Amino acid sequence: VDEGEIVSLLGRNGVGRSTTCKAIMGLVEPIGSVRYRGRNIVGMPANLVAKAGIGYVPEDRQIFPTLTVRQNLMLGLKRAGKFGRWNFDDVFKLFPNLEERQNNPAGVLSGGEQQMLTMCRTLMGDPDLILIDEPTEGLAPILVEQVGYLLEEIARRGVSILLVEQKLATAMRISR
């Protein structure tokens, strides 16, 4: 995946798309090698993979429901109080609903808003490559459009994206 490129990994459920992301992140042991910036990263713990510049948005969101939206976003920062390409203003501009709810517990957000929060929390860590697993699954059509816009904005800022998707139409619309 080249800088600023969006590449889709397509396939039906059960063929290993999510497992591929987990293998890249060091969450499962892959067969073979995983190369990032010319280096085999197999065996690296997930926290070091993230520090190396890879972010991961899992399909099951994994928000912290009792923490506020703002606190969830703060957890994405790699260095306390240090912002990279993304800050609160950036993510709130893309998703005004998150700004309106920034002091609410994340657990009261809709499923779509939780998905946006997970994506934005990952961006707060300033990754160079982001793995996004089924970001539009179960979202209302208007939110699917917002996700597409967000992915294009991420790529415009030089972040590479590996999009895991099972819907060909969605992948074709977003990939470039």
Side-chain angles (χ1 to χ4, degrees), residues 43-94:
M44 283 179 71
N47 66 313
L48 294 181
V49 173
K51 278 189 175 188
I54 301 177
Y56 177 45
V57 179
E59 64 182 319
D60 57 358
R61 300 184 185 113
Q62 298 182 359
I63 59 150
F64 296 88
T66 59
L67 298 180
T68 67
V69 167
R70 190 173 191 89
Q71 289 168 329
N72 267 271
L73 291 172
M74 290 292 293
L75 289 173
L77 294 174
K78 288 183 187 170
R79 296 173 302 274
K82 303 260 183 182
F83 295 96
R85 284 171 278 212
W86 298 88
N87 59 43
F88 290 115
D89 290 339
D90 293 321
V91 297
F92 291 156
K93 181 179 174 189
L94 290 171

Side-chain angles (χ1 to χ4, degrees), residues 105-173:
V108 302
L109 299 177
S110 71
E113 291 168 334
Q114 288 180 12
Q115 182 67 30
M116 301 307 115
L117 176 58
T118 304
M119 292 173 67
C120 291
R121 183 183 62 209
T122 301
L123 290 174
M124 296 291 275
D126 200 25
D128 296 313
L129 168 64
I130 188 169
L131 316 174
I132 304 178
D133 195 352
E134 299 261 7
T136 62
E137 185 63 32
L139 297 185
I142 187 71
L143 288 176
V144 171
E145 186 176 316
Q146 282 183 301
V147 168
Y149 174 73
L150 174 62
L151 295 179
E152 290 169 2
E153 180 62 24
I154 292 168
R156 269 194 290 283
R157 292 190 187 204
V159 178
S160 304
I161 299 170
L162 178 61
L163 173 66
V164 170
E165 187 58 67
Q166 66 175 316
K167 298 174 193 145
L168 179 61
T170 302
M172 290 184 68
R173 192 177 82 241

